[in-house]
Structure formats: C-alpha cells, structure tokens
Amino acid sequence: MSQIIIGIIIANVLMSIKGFGDPAFFDRYKFQVQRVLGGEKIRMVSSGFLHVDWLHLGFNMYALYLFGELAMRNFSTINFLLIYLASLLAGSMYSLYQHKREPYYSAVGASGAVSGIMFSAIILYPDKTYSFMFFPFVSFPAYVLGIGYLLYSIYGMKNQVGNIGHSAHLGGAIGGYLITLVLRPSVIANHTVMVGVMALIIAGLFFFGDKLKLNR
C-alpha cells in the first residue's frame, strides 16, 4: 500500500478515535448545517476524518484501500491528495446545498472523499472487476458498479434510505469524476460511452436535483 494512502488512513483513525472518546471534540468538528452557515467552514473538511464507530471507519478505509491503489497509479501524490480533498469538499458542499433548510442536519465520515477516489479508479479502469468481502463469489465490472452507485445514491437521497449521507456520496463521486477528467482527459477518448453515460446521469441530477427534495 502506498505511503499516502497509509497516511490518510492513519489520519482518519487518529481523529476518529479522538472523536469516539471525546463528545465535545466530535461535536466541534462534525458537519452541521447551522454551524457551517454560521461561518465554521472547517467542519466541511474536518467532518470527513470523523466516524460514528469502528464499523463506519472500517468500511470507509476498506473502500479507500480497494480503490485507492488503482487511482494512485495514475497520479502524483499531490494530484491524488487533490482528488481526495476536493471530493471530500464537494461532498460537503452538495450536502450543504441539499440540506440548507435543515439547520440541525449533521454528518461525519470519509464517504465523500472515498467516493471521489472510487469514481476516479472506475473511469480509469472501467473493465476491472471487483468482488467484496460479503459477496466473494460475485464480481462486478467497475462501470456497472459506478453507474449503479450513482443511481442508488440518487434513490437513497430521494427516499431517505437508511442513516446514510447519500448527498455526500453523490457530491464526492461527482467531484472525483470531474477532477479525474481534468487531470486525465485521455479517459474521455478511451472510455467515451461510459464517461458519457455517467455525464448524462450527473447532468440530470443538476437539472432535476430539486425534485429529490419532494419527500423531505
């Protein structure tokens, strides 16, 4: 595993452990709409290094490990960090947009950043297959996983499925997708259909995203 991914995992583990044992620290740095709109912008980044519990932390770090190495092969350390942190911020910004009328909405987790890394890896290697720890005998092509992830996140955000920050997942995924295209524009020519399908889904989300609020 590359040193930068190990460093990100260590940062998440250390800050999450601090939050597990210190409710005041957790409350000070979690994402909360009212606090962010009140000027505490640091929460948009700091919340991405906090987690609710070990399971939450473990899932996110496992996903970072699974997709991070593939993405890292194509970028310098600086650009990989750019994708990670920009995706984290994109997830927070989209959550803020979606929940701006819910002052007490709060969230934590690296999901936005990890979603960005995941989508970076997917559009770089769309034909790679993945299997997961709970389904080791079932493999999914990356492009199927990516499109399914976008559609499920949109469905989950509209129908409030589970105690999951679907808006952060979507924002982070979109951030990772766009930044990867900027840094590696050859992807557009190499995987035109898949990039185009994802672009249509994302464009639809931006044009019709307000309709996702109907069930709130």
Side-chain angles (χ1 to χ4, degrees):
M1 196 186 307
S2 66
Q3 291 183 344
I4 186 62
I5 293 176
I6 292 172
I8 291 172
I9 290 174
I10 290 172
N12 274 275
V13 169
L14 291 178
M15 191 156 177
S16 293
I17 289 174
K18 174 67 174 173
F20 294 161
D22 187 342
F25 178 87
F26 186 90
D27 186 65
R28 189 181 308 127
Y29 292 109
K30 70 181 181 181
F31 178 92
Q32 185 177 19
V33 170
Q34 185 180 48
R35 297 291 189 177
V36 172
L37 293 178
E40 298 179 26
K41 306 301 184 187
I42 187 63
R43 291 173 180 263
M44 298 182 73
V45 175
S46 61
S47 59
F49 292 88
L50 289 171
H51 291 81
V52 173
D53 53 33
W54 283 106
L55 186 62
H56 185 206
L57 174 64
F59 270 119
N60 276 334
M61 295 305 98
Y62 172 67
L64 176 61
Y65 158 75
L66 196 64
F67 295 98
E69 287 295 327
L70 276 179
M72 190 69 201
R73 294 177 191 174
N74 294 267
F75 301 108
S76 66
T77 297
I78 295 298
N79 283 343
F80 182 85
L81 275 175
L82 173 63
I83 295 171
Y84 186 89
L85 293 174
S87 298
L88 191 165
L89 189 57
S92 291
M93 290 175 66
Y94 194 65
S95 288
L96 187 64
Y97 169 74
Q98 284 291 325
H99 299 282
K100 59 182 178 291
R101 294 186 178 87
E102 303 169 51
Y104 296 106
Y105 176 85
S106 62
V108 295
S111 300
V114 173
S115 293
I117 295 298
M118 171 180 152
F119 264 72
S120 180
I122 285 172
I123 64 174
L124 288 165
Y125 301 99
D127 296 321
K128 181 175 174 57
T129 57
Y130 292 92
S131 59
F132 299 96
M133 62 174 70
F134 297 118
F135 304 100
F137 304 112
V138 180
S139 296
F140 303 89
Y143 68 90
V144 172
L145 179 65
I147 293 170
Y149 185 88
L150 279 176
L151 294 176
Y152 174 72
S153 293
I154 292 170
Y155 170 81
M157 188 166 62
K158 178 175 174 58
N159 294 283
Q160 298 179 315
V161 175
N163 188 25
I164 299 172
H166 294 285
S167 53
H169 293 188
L170 273 173
I174 293 168
Y177 169 88
L178 293 176
I179 295 169
T180 300
L181 293 184
V182 170
L183 296 175
R184 285 286 182 273
S186 59
V187 170
I188 300 172
N190 293 337
H191 308 297
T192 305
V193 173
M194 185 211 62
V195 170
V197 170
M198 288 189 178
L200 286 173
I201 295 172
I202 291 169
L205 181 65
F206 275 100
F207 282 111
F208 304 107
D210 285 345
K211 297 184 183 302
L212 296 175
K213 302 173 187 177
L214 291 177
N215 289 347
R216 293 191 182 282

